Amino acid sequence: MTEPYMRVENLVKQFGPFTALGGVDLEVYPGEVHALLGDNGAGKSTLIKNLAGVHQPSSGQIYIEGKPVNFRSPRDASNAGIGTVYQDLALNPLMSVTRNFFMGRELKGMFGTLRMDEMNQIAHDEMLTIGIDFSDPTQAVGTMSGGQRQTLAIARAIYFGAKVLILDEPTSALGQRQQMGVLKTMMRVRSRGDIAIIFITHNEIHSKLVADRFTFLSLGKVIGQGTRETLEGGEIRRLMAGGAELGDLAKELADIG
Ligand SMILES: Nc1ncnc2c1ncn2[C@@H]1O[C@H](COP(=O)(O)OP(=O)(O)OP(=O)(O)O)[C@@H](O)[C@H]1O
Ligand SMILES: [Mg+2]
């Protein structure tokens, strides 16, 4: 099997006396979607913030291509190929698609003039490759649908060198059709073969549709981990519920009513 692009070993994150992550192991492989699942407060966002250089681990080690790395800032992580798409997407709705795509990393010509035509073309082409044909990238981002914005943020991360693409609940705020659009985008990125995707979600169905590998967090610990082949549906459902057996929810609800 190929080597993991990134490996996390026994990662601990304390906030004062509180242990948000109690020794997490994780491996992400190029060409794979790794679903990161767990209930509210499980530690998913804290984990990816450690991978993205926003937080520094209290202990434990992150390796990129086998080499230990210490990210002191989001820039360090980004330079190492960690591209993170947060839920707010960090887009400015009033600015054009292209300006958002390049935000702070514009192509400039002599005397600092912006190479707008070239940037428009790149923004258009990069989004087209992963699924949306947004013919006029001079339009404001505010005119895009939620799914299109997600695709813009993903295309931008890839263009600027992401080898690990971290998506924090990319489907959660979208309607059904748009959710499917984002899942398709993820599969197109996956099919390139050179990018590892970490997909944070609460949605069991979405994770089963696209993920090759699964990690379940509960209260800062890994309670289950495996591949599509080694985990079966029932096990995934049990782990989604934080490891506890799902009681007869229908009955509990009926008892109330
Ligand atoms: N900066 C912080 N300071 C103190 N505690 C924090 C901090 N960030 C997160 N926590 C705590 O760590 C735990 C894990 O939070 P985290 O946001 O990582 O969970 P999550 O799995 O992303 O949840 P959700 O599904 O709700 O997004 C929570 O108990 C949270 O209150
Ligand atoms: Mg979170």
Side-chain angles (χ1 to χ4, degrees):
M1 194 166 50
T2 48
E3 288 299 300
Y5 180 76
M6 179 168 65
R7 191 160 67 80
V8 175
E9 202 177 79
N10 201 16
L11 194 134
V12 174
K13 181 62 184 175
Q14 313 255 158
F15 294 110
F18 178 72
T19 305
L21 296 173
V24 170
D25 295 331
L26 189 76
E27 289 183 347
V28 300
Y29 293 85
E32 281 194 7
V33 175
H34 192 139
L36 184 58
L37 299 134
D39 225 332
N40 297 112
K44 304 180 296 294
S45 295
T46 304
L47 176 57
I48 62 159
K49 283 178 184 161
N50 279 273
L51 307 184
V54 175
H55 291 323
Q56 276 74 53
S58 306
S59 66
Q61 188 62 57
I62 301 170
Y63 300 88
I64 299 278
E65 295 183 306
K67 294 189 198 72
V69 290
N70 296 297
F71 301 143
R72 261 152 295 152
S73 67
R75 179 170 292 265
D76 278 357
S78 157
N79 289 341
I82 315 296
T84 312
V85 177
Y86 292 103
Q87 266 184 294
D88 68 6
L89 300 180
L91 295 173
N92 180 337
L94 300 176
M95 277 162 55
S96 76
V97 171
T98 299
R99 291 309 294 271
N100 272 281
F101 191 96
F102 285 90
M103 189 114 45
R105 293 175 284 200
E106 286 78 6
L107 305 179
K108 291 186 178 149
M110 264 197 297
F111 315 116
T113 49
L114 293 180
R115 282 146 56 190
M116 265 336 281
D117 289 349
E118 206 179 322
M119 290 195 289
N120 285 330
Q121 190 67 48
I122 290 171
H124 170 267
D125 294 352
E126 293 294 316
M127 289 191 293
L128 183 60
T129 331
I130 58 167
I132 54 169
D133 188 358
F134 204 78
S135 52
D136 183 10
T138 64
Q139 259 179 272
V141 158
T143 64
M144 291 179 122
S145 72
Q148 289 176 325
R149 289 179 205 208
Q150 198 61 242
T151 302
L152 164 57
I154 292 171
R156 175 173 71 181
I158 293 172
Y159 179 72
F160 287 104
K163 290 287 168 232
V164 178
L165 181 66
I166 301 176
L167 307 176
D168 195 357
E169 306 210 27
T171 54
S172 68
L174 304 176
Q176 194 83 13
R177 274 179 67 90
Q178 306 237 345
Q179 291 178 354
M180 289 307 133
V182 171
L183 294 179
K184 283 185 190 165
T185 294
M186 287 172 57
M187 288 309 264
R188 289 193 193 94
V189 175
R190 177 182 177 277
S191 72
R192 291 171 45 126
D194 61 339
I195 292 176
I197 302 169
I198 298 179
F199 174 31
I200 297 183
T201 181
H202 281 110
N203 192 311
E204 179 192 339
I205 297 169
H206 290 175
S207 73
K208 284 201 219 156
L209 283 171
V210 298
D212 302 283
R213 207 174 282 273
F214 299 80
T215 291
F216 298 86
L217 283 181
S218 178
L219 301 175
K221 296 228 180 226
V222 174
I223 56 163
Q225 216 158 31
T227 61
R228 175 180 282 284
E229 290 74 32
T230 59
L231 290 169
E232 46 129 316
E235 179 71 351
I236 291 176
R237 183 152 314 128
R238 191 182 66 83
L239 291 165
M240 283 292 291
E245 294 301 329
L246 261 187
D248 188 350
L249 183 60
K251 182 174 180 306
E252 279 180 44
L253 294 172
D255 286 350
I256 296 167

PDB file of all heavy atoms in Angstrom, residues 44-45 87 168-169, ligand 2:
ATOM      1  N   LYS A  44     -13.422  17.065  16.817  1.00  0.00           N
ATOM      2  CA  LYS A  44     -13.111  17.068  15.381  1.00  0.00           C
ATOM      3  C   LYS A  44     -12.444  18.382  14.959  1.00  0.00           C
ATOM      4  O   LYS A  44     -11.389  18.375  14.328  1.00  0.00           O
ATOM      5  CB  LYS A  44     -14.401  16.854  14.551  1.00  0.00           C
ATOM      6  CG  LYS A  44     -15.158  15.590  14.916  1.00  0.00           C
ATOM      7  CD  LYS A  44     -16.422  15.431  14.073  1.00  0.00           C
ATOM      8  CE  LYS A  44     -17.475  16.519  14.274  1.00  0.00           C
ATOM      9  NZ  LYS A  44     -18.083  16.543  15.620  1.00  0.00           N
ATOM     10  N   SER A  45     -13.081  19.494  15.318  1.00  0.00           N
ATOM     11  CA  SER A  45     -12.512  20.786  14.913  1.00  0.00           C
ATOM     12  C   SER A  45     -11.175  21.026  15.600  1.00  0.00           C
ATOM     13  O   SER A  45     -10.243  21.561  14.990  1.00  0.00           O
ATOM     14  CB  SER A  45     -13.478  21.926  15.236  1.00  0.00           C
ATOM     15  OG  SER A  45     -14.657  21.801  14.478  1.00  0.00           O
ATOM     16  N   GLN A  87     -15.960  26.086   7.763  1.00  0.00           N
ATOM     17  CA  GLN A  87     -17.373  26.214   7.434  1.00  0.00           C
ATOM     18  C   GLN A  87     -17.740  27.592   6.910  1.00  0.00           C
ATOM     19  O   GLN A  87     -18.597  27.713   6.053  1.00  0.00           O
ATOM     20  CB  GLN A  87     -18.221  25.872   8.648  1.00  0.00           C
ATOM     21  CG  GLN A  87     -18.642  24.419   8.635  1.00  0.00           C
ATOM     22  CD  GLN A  87     -19.566  24.105   9.776  1.00  0.00           C
ATOM     23  OE1 GLN A  87     -19.171  24.155  10.926  1.00  0.00           O
ATOM     24  NE2 GLN A  87     -20.797  23.799   9.453  1.00  0.00           N
ATOM     25  N   ASP A 168     -14.367  20.964   6.675  1.00  0.00           N
ATOM     26  CA  ASP A 168     -15.104  20.920   7.940  1.00  0.00           C
ATOM     27  C   ASP A 168     -16.601  21.059   7.660  1.00  0.00           C
ATOM     28  O   ASP A 168     -17.082  22.145   7.386  1.00  0.00           O
ATOM     29  CB  ASP A 168     -14.622  22.040   8.872  1.00  0.00           C
ATOM     30  CG  ASP A 168     -15.087  21.827  10.311  1.00  0.00           C
ATOM     31  OD1 ASP A 168     -15.818  20.845  10.578  1.00  0.00           O
ATOM     32  OD2 ASP A 168     -14.721  22.641  11.175  1.00  0.00           O
ATOM     33  N   GLU A 169     -17.289  19.956   7.698  1.00  0.00           N
ATOM     34  CA  GLU A 169     -18.733  19.899   7.461  1.00  0.00           C
ATOM     35  C   GLU A 169     -19.162  20.653   6.203  1.00  0.00           C
ATOM     36  O   GLU A 169     -19.993  21.562   6.264  1.00  0.00           O
ATOM     37  CB  GLU A 169     -19.474  20.446   8.687  1.00  0.00           C
ATOM     38  CG  GLU A 169     -19.045  19.727   9.951  1.00  0.00           C
ATOM     39  CD  GLU A 169     -20.135  19.671  10.988  1.00  0.00           C
ATOM     40  OE1 GLU A 169     -21.321  19.708  10.610  1.00  0.00           O
ATOM     41  OE2 GLU A 169     -19.797  19.572  12.172  1.00  0.00           O
TER      42      GLU A 169
HETATM   43 MG    MG B   2     -16.553  21.305  15.036  1.00  0.00          MG
END
